[in-house]
Amino acid sequence: MKKKLKIALFDQKNNAGGGDRYTKKILEYISNFTDQFHIDYYGFSESIKDSKLEKKTKINFFLLKSLKLRQSGLFNIKKSDRLISTLQDNLKNYITHLPFIISGNLKKEMEDKLKKYDVVFFLWPYFLDFPKIKARKIIILHDFNFKYYFLGQSTFDKNRIEILNKSMQVWIENSDVIVTSNFMKKELFKFYPKFKNNIKIIRMGSFGEHNTKKFKTYGFLKKPYILCPSSTLGHKNISNLIRAFSIIRKKNKNINLVFTGPGTEVLNGVNSNNYLEIINENKYIYGLGYIKDRDINFLIKKAQVVVNCSLYEPGNGSGLDAWKIGTPVAMSNISSFKEHIKYLGVRAELFDPTSPKSIAKKIINILQMSKSKRKKNINHSKIMMKKIDWNLIIKDYIKFIDTI
């Protein structure tokens, strides 16, 4: 009888947005294999807790004690999490012998708790010290955006870039790797040409759900709107979309632009030359910040078009959601996005993300599209999305875990 593998899923980073939704999908679907494997999850995420997956699945959930005070703070005192993180980092050489909740020593906690497993799957191996454990280590490489500079303030400062470069070199030399596109496979060998371990391309599925019930009232719903689920990081390139929207508004005064995602809560106002003028009255650009999964599903469904103007991504997450839910997509003509069209056969308008005129033109094409063509494109993309159903995706993960 074949030994029942002990698998640990490790996720120390509560990433608002795609990272969090990815973790929940993995947990939901890998739970179908608990008769074949012993599966445990280690993390610290309120979102995972709120999803009630612990009650719905046979996976065992364990709290990472070293992260508790760093992420939740003390007694709900404002910014106490930052103070505690700073103290734990500065005093780490003196308090390492104390309980994990006090020392914040994640590496030591990993080595203590992960030593009993055959395979450990690290869902987010960034800013994470490499543990000394015998288990086979599998990492998913989401992107290498720390290797580039894009726009505005850099996503990472010099110190953090140095930390990432040093730590990722160790991870990649000692782990098997999963990437989500051919583009990311090329990126891996571009930066780490001597990589010799096992690598597997496993496509990312949609996080979108067809249950798009209205949970919250939004004032902009009275008019048609363009939706951009994103963030304010430089590589997201949203400034060019704001410039493009000034062109769109000249042709259609009855449309709004809506942003969601971390940092976007500041984006409320109107176009003013090449900028967004921040005002709260008579605005037609709305920034909602990070919102819950159920709300983003609803907003995607009701949008006239979902836009992703990013300069660098492993794939178009918001596009995958829109294609599944049933909303037209306009997106950058970058390699990883074009790969969706080539591999899946979904339909989208492609634009030059550095050109506001190009962005505006392709969004206007969708807004002026006939109802019959719009419906035809939506239905075609929905069918194509069946190629990356999560039931199929998780079987690729299981095969990679089980056969090497």
Side-chain angles (χ1 to χ4, degrees):
M1 184 177 178
K2 189 176 180 180
K3 175 187 174 183
K4 191 173 184 179
L5 286 179
K6 291 183 178 180
I7 300 172
L9 303 176
F10 192 90
D11 184 19
Q12 83 289 354
K13 182 70 174 176
N14 180 21
N15 280 301
D20 179 72
R21 300 178 87 188
Y22 163 76
T23 297
K24 284 188 280 193
K25 283 293 184 183
I26 290 290
L27 289 170
E28 178 184 352
Y29 284 89
I30 204 170
S31 66
N32 296 326
F33 295 86
T34 50
D35 291 338
Q36 184 177 341
F37 304 103
H38 176 94
I39 304 173
D40 295 336
Y41 168 80
Y42 290 89
F44 191 89
S45 168
E46 289 299 320
S47 178
I48 299 297
K49 183 179 179 181
D50 292 343
S51 69
K52 299 179 181 178
L53 283 168
E54 187 173 359
K55 294 181 179 179
K56 297 177 184 177
T57 70
K58 294 180 181 178
I59 295 174
N60 304 299
F61 286 70
F62 296 98
L63 175 71
L64 289 166
K65 295 179 180 179
S66 57
L67 298 181
K68 182 174 175 57
L69 296 180
R70 296 177 73 94
Q71 294 194 8
S72 61
L74 192 63
F75 304 127
N76 294 320
I77 299 174
K78 190 175 182 180
K79 296 184 179 180
S80 61
D81 54 338
R82 296 183 186 179
L83 175 60
I84 290 170
S85 297
T86 300
L87 288 172
Q88 288 178 334
D89 290 340
N90 291 340
L91 299 174
K92 62 182 179 181
N93 294 329
Y94 306 99
I95 60 175
T96 186
H97 61 285
L98 297 177
F100 298 130
I101 193 172
I102 303 298
S103 69
N105 193 327
L106 179 58
K107 182 175 185 288
K108 189 174 180 181
E109 185 174 12
M110 279 194 291
E111 293 171 346
D112 180 68
K113 294 184 176 179
L114 300 179
K115 59 187 178 183
K116 63 182 179 181
Y117 295 95
D118 300 298
V119 180
V120 182
F121 184 20
F122 294 90
L123 302 178
W124 193 264
Y126 301 89
F127 295 109
L128 184 64
D129 290 331
F130 187 83
K132 295 179 181 179
I133 54 175
K134 292 182 178 180
R136 176 189 172 207
K137 289 161 279 290
I138 300 175
I139 61 175
I140 179 162
L141 290 178
H142 297 272
D143 59 51
F144 290 109
N145 63 7
F146 62 93
K147 297 285 190 179
Y148 299 94
Y149 169 77
F150 300 97
L151 299 168
Q153 184 175 345
S154 178
T155 303
F156 306 106
D157 61 29
K158 185 174 182 290
N159 181 56
R160 285 167 67 83
I161 291 172
E162 290 176 352
I163 291 172
L164 278 168
N165 278 318
K166 184 177 180 180
S167 64
M168 289 309 300
Q169 183 72 45
V170 178
W171 278 105
I172 288 170
E173 288 177 353
N174 294 279
S175 308
D176 292 329
V177 170
I178 291 173
V179 292
T180 56
S181 61
N182 281 310
F183 168 73
M184 281 306 303
K185 183 177 180 180
K186 290 178 182 177
E187 288 283 274
L188 171 63
F189 284 102
K190 173 183 176 180
F191 294 115
Y192 304 94
K194 296 181 180 180
F195 175 77
K196 295 180 180 179
N197 298 324
N198 299 295
I199 183 170
K200 176 74 173 177
I201 297 174
I202 302 180
R203 303 285 169 174
M204 188 70 74
S206 169
F207 304 131
E209 300 292 344
H210 292 297
N211 178 18
T212 54
K213 180 181 177 182
K214 182 178 178 181
F215 287 91
K216 192 173 181 179
T217 300
Y218 295 103
F220 56 79
L221 290 174
K222 297 176 183 179
K223 294 183 178 182
Y225 63 92
I226 298 162
L227 180 67
C228 180
S230 189
S231 77
T232 52
L233 295 176
H235 68 286
K236 298 297 185 179
N237 189 40
I238 58 175
S239 60
N240 274 331
L241 176 56
I242 292 170
R243 294 186 180 98
F245 191 60
S246 66
I247 300 173
I248 295 169
R249 285 278 298 183
K250 290 176 182 178
K251 292 183 174 293
N252 187 341
K253 294 287 186 182
N254 193 44
I255 194 160
N256 294 321
L257 173 61
V258 179
F259 291 97
T260 66
T264 61
E265 59 273 6
V266 74
L267 305 177
N268 286 276
V270 298
N271 285 108
S272 178
N273 295 321
N274 286 323
Y275 314 107
L276 186 155
E277 182 181 344
I278 299 174
I279 60 173
N280 286 320
E281 295 183 0
N282 301 317
K283 62 185 177 182
Y284 48 77
I285 299 177
Y286 294 78
L288 307 184
Y290 180 67
I291 62 176
K292 293 184 178 181
D293 292 354
R294 64 187 189 185
D295 294 316
I296 191 63
N297 290 333
F298 173 78
L299 292 180
I300 288 173
K301 180 65 177 178
K302 297 300 179 182
Q304 295 298 301
V305 54
V306 170
V307 183
N308 192 330
C309 50
S310 184
L311 300 172
Y312 181 89
E313 300 285 349
N316 186 357
S318 60
L320 293 172
D321 294 346
W323 286 315
K324 180 178 178 180
I325 291 173
T327 302
V329 173
M331 63 187 186
S332 303
N333 60 0
I334 58 177
S335 296
S336 59
F337 287 8
K338 290 189 289 186
E339 195 171 324
H340 289 308
I341 294 176
K342 183 178 180 181
Y343 177 79
L344 292 174
V346 289
R347 292 176 180 166
E349 290 281 347
L350 294 172
F351 52 70
D352 176 359
T354 66
S355 167
K357 288 184 179 179
S358 176
I359 297 172
K361 180 181 178 181
K362 294 309 178 76
I363 292 175
I364 290 170
N365 285 349
I366 293 176
L367 296 176
Q368 295 179 345
M369 191 178 292
S370 68
K371 289 184 179 179
S372 60
K373 185 176 180 181
R374 179 185 176 94
K375 184 177 180 181
K376 184 178 180 180
N377 286 349
I378 286 173
N379 290 338
H380 174 84
S381 294
K382 278 186 175 181
I383 292 171
M384 295 298 101
M385 284 295 293
K386 292 180 181 179
K387 292 182 181 179
I388 49 171
D389 180 86
W390 274 97
N391 285 302
L392 299 175
I393 291 170
I394 205 66
K395 289 179 181 178
D396 285 337
Y397 277 102
I398 292 299
K399 186 177 181 181
F400 189 65
I401 289 170
D402 195 28
T403 57
I404 296 177

